[in-house]
Amino acid sequence: MAKKTFPASLARLIFIWGIITAVFLLLLSVFTSFTISQSRISEEAENLGRSEIARIGLVAERTTSKDHFLLKEIIAQSATDPRFEQILVLDPERNIVFSSRIENIGKPATNISGIDKTILHELEKQGPLLTISDRRSSSMSFAQSFDWPPAADQIRSTRLGVVLVVINLQIMKDQRWGEIMTEELTIAGLFSIVLLFLLIGVYFTIKRPLQELTMAADRFKAGDFSYVIRPLGIAEMREVGDSFNMMSNEISDKLNALQQSEFKFRSLIECSPVGIVAFDDKGHLAYQNSAFSNMTGLTASTLTNISEAEFGAALQKLCGNSIPQPEADAPAVIIEFQNPDLHVVSHFILKLDRAQIQSIHYFQDITELSKIDRMKSEFITTAAHELRTPMSTVLGYSELLQTRELSVSQQKEMIEAIYRQAQSIVYLLEELLDVALIESRADKVFHLQPADIHRILKTIASTFMLAGDPRKVTLEPIPELPQVWVDEEKIAQALKNCLSNAFKFSSKDSEVTLAATLSKPTEVAIRITDRGIGMSSEVMGRIFDKFYRGDTSGHIPGTGLGMTLVKQIMDHHHGRIEVDSTPDKGTTITLFLPVKK
């Protein structure tokens, strides 16, 4: 069923109230008129009786006994009036001479029903004076004596006749009641019409203001506090509208402030890298942020309304093994999520025991910190291992030189070995320092400026030589290239590391080439190609890892940091590296450098 609007309901209320008021006033008016009319009916009946009896008596006195046609005519005329119950003319012997009812003519009056017999006795006592019966009955009788018409031979009659008129009060009451109802209904109708117009005027006066208020209330209910009520008609409605607008503005301001506060809070929570899960006072999950979902792959839909115990079981599945359960407000525990990806997480629980929040679980992703810590340990272990071998050689040969008598050739051989190992230690330390320096102070290490790549490549090709290897770099013809935005010293170091690997991992009778082309309008490509032993896909996947060496035999010298340095240098030049290698066929390393804008 359609819901009626407030103005429509009010219109119906006004209409019903108007009808009730009109009916009440009509009944009040009819009751008052009926009460007043009771006495008026008696007065009218008395006046009617007096008038009629006087008229008939006057005619009766003037009519002879032989000439009573006129009297009959008058009685017949009066008999047509329903108010007259009976009209009788009695002779001196009280027999009915004339009557409105033909069947009563000639009968004694005392034998006729409906005639108040006492009125005739009263008439005898009081003489010719008019006598009226009790007014409280349903009829009223009037009697008056008159000189009975003399005979033709008489001069004057000494006998008295009687004119008797009986008026039906009930018929007069009914007639009067109909007149009263007609009058009162007419008055009530006119009053109702006037009242209806007044009510319609009132309705249309307050209709628009009420519609405005209803619309504003509906908007407020829907959460829209921007609606402004227009100026309303009457002063009271204007005050209500102004109060509504003020209330709307205050609620809107407070709601906006609350929304902004909630937005800031949610933004802080959602943007936090720390996973946050809150449980309500019933122990059910109330909120989780996106950081937790990203760590675990557990979305809000999968954790809807779960308990804290069920939440612990869900974490257990992600870890794949038993995990320590942290105590409330105790130090955080470290757990590892195996699914969907490996994450090392610090889990901490804060107990609140408040009305809405019982506890909050914090999950801090320390995967990168764990990797860094592991890499640091591996770095120290690898560095110590790399340093141990040459240092052992240096210490061993030094001890032999000190404790034994050796030939000059043996001494020379040992000194050369000590020198080579010392060089490898220095080279290792330099590369370690370069890696550490780039990682910690890259902004101060690199000094980028426009440079001619052709000149840089020509210089490297003419000066680069690997100890114990007679080969030289073959520089392919270089087309005219735009300047690049580089740190010449660092780019030269990256190119030398790539050339050094090319020489180390290829036979001494193979060629190592160096070339440069314009791969894109915004990019220069430098290619170092060898025909050496090449690399497998597994080796290529780890080529830029620190201390990783593709040759595990130990026959090819190196620190495992050369390509790590190349990757760091290219990253800080906003360049990129591509490695293309096939086992036993060779390797091509391409360095892409941005062109100067």
Side-chain angles (χ1 to χ4, degrees), residues 74-91:
I74 292 173
I75 292 173
Q77 289 178 356
S78 298
T80 59
D81 191 340
R83 294 176 296 178
F84 297 111
E85 187 175 323
Q86 293 194 64
I87 301 175
L88 304 172
V89 178
L90 308 180
D91 63 12

Side-chain angles (χ1 to χ4, degrees), residues 12 105 112 178 255 263 272 275 298 382 410 423 437-438 539-540 556:
R12 187 167 65 175
I105 298 174
I112 303 303
L255 185 62
F263 175 76
S272 172
L298 298 175
T382 306
Q410 288 177 328
Q423 277 187 326
L437 191 62
I438 291 174
V539 174
M540 283 194 293
I556 300 176

Side-chain angles (χ1 to χ4, degrees), residues 269-277 288-300 302-303 311 314-315 317-319 333-348 361-369:
I269 297 299
E270 285 299 319
C271 295
S272 172
V274 178
I276 298 176
V277 179
Q288 70 177 83
N289 67 348
S290 56
F292 175 78
S293 298
N294 294 335
M295 286 182 200
T296 62
L298 298 175
T299 60
T302 60
L303 299 178
F311 177 74
L315 295 182
K317 291 181 180 179
L318 294 177
C319 294
V333 299
I334 306 301
I335 58 178
E336 288 189 6
F337 293 143
Q338 303 295 331
N339 295 311
D341 297 314
L342 177 63
H343 285 279
V344 181
V345 177
S346 172
H347 183 195
F348 172 73
H361 292 239
Y362 295 94
F363 297 85
Q364 184 174 4
D365 191 342
I366 58 172
T367 305
E368 291 302 321
L369 293 176

Side-chain angles (χ1 to χ4, degrees), residues 181-230:
M181 289 302 295
T182 302
E183 293 174 1
E184 296 304 328
L185 286 174
T186 302
I187 295 172
L190 293 174
F191 175 78
S192 298
I193 291 173
V194 174
L195 180 63
L196 179 61
F197 277 107
L198 289 175
L199 293 176
I200 290 174
V202 172
Y203 169 69
F204 280 106
T205 301
I206 63 176
K207 176 183 177 182
R208 191 179 69 83
L210 289 177
Q211 286 179 332
E212 287 282 334
L213 292 175
T214 303
M215 187 177 296
D218 291 340
R219 291 285 190 89
F220 291 177
K221 182 180 178 181
D224 180 11
F225 297 96
S226 62
Y227 185 76
V228 178
I229 298 176
R230 294 171 292 178

Side-chain angles (χ1 to χ4, degrees), residues 71 96 141 187 196 221 225 323 335 389 413 433 453 570:
L71 185 59
I96 299 173
S141 299
I187 295 172
L196 179 61
K221 182 180 178 181
F225 297 96
I323 58 174
I335 58 178
T389 301
E413 182 180 350
L433 289 175
I453 196 65
M570 292 303 297

